[in-house]
Amino acid sequence: MREIVVISGKGGTGKTSLTAAFAHLAQDKILCDLDVDAPDLHILLEPQTRRQGAFLSGNEAIIDPGLCQACGLCAEKCRFGAIQAVEGSFRVNASRCEGCKVCVALCPHQAIDFQDRLCGTWYQSETRFGPMVHAQLFPGQENSGRLVSLLKQQARELAQQKGIDLILSDGTPGIGCPVIASLSQATLALIVTEPTPSGLHDLKRIADLCEHFRIRTAVLINKWDLNLDHTEAIETLCAEKGYVPVGRLPHDIQVAQAMVQRKAVTELEENPFNLQVRQIWKTIESLLPNN
Amino acid sequence: MIVAIASGKGGTGKTTVSASLTAIWERPVVAVDLDVEEPNLHLFLKPELISTETVNLEVPVLEPSACTLCRACSELCQFKALAIFGKTLMVMPEMCHGCGGCFEVCPAEALKRGNRELGVMEIGHSRGQIPCLTGRLRVGESMSPPLMRHIRHRMAEMAKDMNADLIIDAPPGVSCPAMNAVQDSDVILLVTEPTPFGFHDFQLAWQAFAPLGKPMGVVVNRAGLGDDRAYAFCEAKGLPILAEIPYRREIAEHYAKGGLLAEMDSEMRWRFASLQEGLDRLNRGVSHA
């Protein structure tokens, strides 16, 4: 199975707009939006849901005020500051509860319940570019890494059922838990960066993370014409570190215009910008192993 | 006043707004970068580094000779950091969330207290006297909330000691790291862009943060790009738009050079000064100008 994961470190470099274009250009593939926290790919792909399910992950502690003797041991032992004294009893602040069960195990009065936590919804859908697996974590919820792993698993199963050997995934910004989960078993990490101080700084960290997990890394410089010095610095970094440069794209308002029309930028009338996107996709495809 | 600058979508201009607000702020202020996965505020405030401190998480270390294989710890651990394979207890410190439960339940004192490095906390001074506090997650570390908790503890001390306001640059998204970053704030400033992606994630951010009951204001960045649904949403929800930053190529180029937007020209400076006034009004409980 060949898996391309599009990531960036810094947010807003153009991951999702470019993933949509590659989704348009790629032949048989499963699409996957691994940005479960603030997913946007569905806005361009307008998926029709075929199956969906609840994402339950972890638990949360709930104190029964009828059983609580207000000894305060739970609040003392909670390392997440999630338990506060309220009106002669104690209460768990759900947004701070880590689900570690320490309070449940130590409560001398068995006054704390440990309930399943409903964190989000996953979807398997059809789009005009092919099957898509995506999800929405409920706002403010955690365990996004586990939801990313679940989506990857579903995408692989779907690919096997349909005899497809390419998964194209849109990733999430940052270098933490959901990004690490998204890189698991990836064939190629495609980093979309921009020639700004933040773009360059964040590229170094995300590329280090890919190296840490020994994943082949390709770099696409978006909005390259905003600053030539930074563009050249990024290209020098790629040469030194062995990241494959797949091309430069200029800053172009077409990307936003296509977004407003709910289209991939390659679905607009043929023009110099989207021809470059096509060329870049060919380069990316050439980096993949042949089946 | 503690202001958290957040957004759902990444790259809408949180750091741009945080850096410029810090530069024009009229009272003592500490700039705090809580986007520990990809901290960028220092790239614009360019602080002179004063101290770097390693931040650790307390994790268990096995004393094999003392372990009786009673399973108390492995049955409690919710994060698969402790497991019994055959006749050995395996400890996987990278899975540990630092709850301390295993130390509590071990009857044999077979678990000693060790550390896993989460990252570093950096303190510097920008422009002579503005303290900058940054958390920087170690590359390969997956959990940002424990490092963020450490930075939050420190920022509270600094605000108290210096009688200063705090400007917090939050991470993108609306899950645990973003929630962690806005928990302590008096006012949340949402930075959005009027595009379909920006609007979608802006609504998610509003859904995530509104239950906290804190006053919220909005900065519309790249105004003129895309569509205008963000404006209608703000009006419907009573969210005051405290500043707009127009979509102009020269602004993007100024940012790409590492420049502070508030210092680009006098008009931009005025926009940020009026943003501070808007935040002060929100904090005093006056929601509209």
Side-chain angles (χ1 to χ4, degrees), chain A residues 35-74:
Chain A
D35 189 350
V36 297
D37 180 354
D40 288 331
L41 191 59
H42 67 281
I43 295 171
L44 300 186
L45 270 47
E46 298 176 317
Q48 303 293 312
T49 304
R50 295 284 183 262
R51 287 180 66 203
Q52 68 181 73
F55 171 60
L56 289 167
S57 183
N59 301 72
E60 63 185 275
I62 295 177
I63 298 174
D64 182 338
L67 296 175
C68 175
Q69 304 292 309
C71 69
L73 185 66
C74 55

Side-chain angles (χ1 to χ4, degrees), chain A residues 9-12 16-17 37-40 42-44 59 77 79-80 95-96 98-102 105-106 114 136-137 139-142 146 173-177 180 194-198 201-202 205-206 208-209 225-227 230 251 253 256 259-260 262, chain B residues 8-11 36-40 42-44 58 76 78-79 97-101 103-105 113 136-137 139-142 149 152 172-176 179 183-184 195-197 200-201 204 207-208 225-227 229 247 249 252-253 255-258:
Chain A
K10 178 180 177 338
T16 303
S17 290
D37 180 354
D40 288 331
H42 67 281
I43 295 171
L44 300 186
N59 301 72
K77 296 295 183 186
R79 293 200 177 177
F80 307 101
S95 71
R96 293 189 181 196
E98 190 87 0
C100 68
K101 209 181 179 182
V102 169
L106 299 183
F114 201 47
Q136 176 67 62
L137 198 69
Q141 279 296 346
E142 51 185 312
R146 286 189 196 170
I175 61 164
C177 142
I180 290 175
E194 62 177 35
T196 62
S198 305
H201 173 271
D202 297 355
R205 285 167 63 80
I206 186 73
D208 276 353
L209 185 73
D225 52 335
L226 282 183
N227 189 300
H230 282 128
H251 185 247
I253 196 166
M259 197 197 291
V260 171
R262 306 291 190 274
Chain B
K9 182 176 173 340
V36 302
E37 294 181 35
E38 294 289 22
N40 291 153
H42 68 283
L43 298 169
F44 298 88
E58 189 178 83
L76 174 63
Q78 300 294 301
F79 310 110
H97 286 221
C99 72
F103 303 122
E104 298 285 343
V105 298
R113 293 168 201 265
R136 181 181 290 276
L137 193 71
V139 174
E141 168 61 48
S142 73
R149 279 194 288 274
R152 286 164 56 196
V174 296
S175 67
C176 36
M179 293 302 285
Q183 289 270 354
D184 309 307
T195 61
F197 292 175
H200 176 263
D201 297 352
L204 289 177
Q207 285 171 30
L225 181 71
D227 56 28
R229 285 179 301 160
Y247 175 68
R249 188 184 168 95
E253 285 177 358
Y255 167 78
K257 276 189 292 203

Side-chain angles (χ1 to χ4, degrees), chain B residues 86-166:
Chain B
K87 292 215 180 293
T88 4
L89 175 70
M90 299 286 289
V91 182
M92 281 132 306
E94 71 284 357
M95 306 292 281
C96 177
H97 286 221
C99 72
C102 53
F103 303 122
E104 298 285 343
V105 298
C106 177
E109 290 183 29
L111 295 169
K112 302 292 169 214
R113 293 168 201 265
N115 283 319
R116 178 175 94 226
E117 185 187 333
L118 296 169
V120 295
M121 177 172 75
E122 298 169 352
I123 297 178
H125 277 168
S126 170
R127 299 158 172 258
Q129 82 294 0
I130 305 172
C132 297
L133 175 63
T134 301
R136 181 181 290 276
L137 193 71
R138 174 176 59 82
V139 174
E141 168 61 48
S142 73
M143 292 169 212
S144 49
L147 174 59
M148 293 174 71
R149 279 194 288 274
H150 193 89
I151 308 292
R152 286 164 56 196
H153 184 75
R154 188 54 185 268
M155 80 187 183
E157 287 175 354
M158 289 170 80
K160 194 163 166 251
D161 292 349
M162 294 178 224
N163 195 19
D165 293 333
L166 297 175

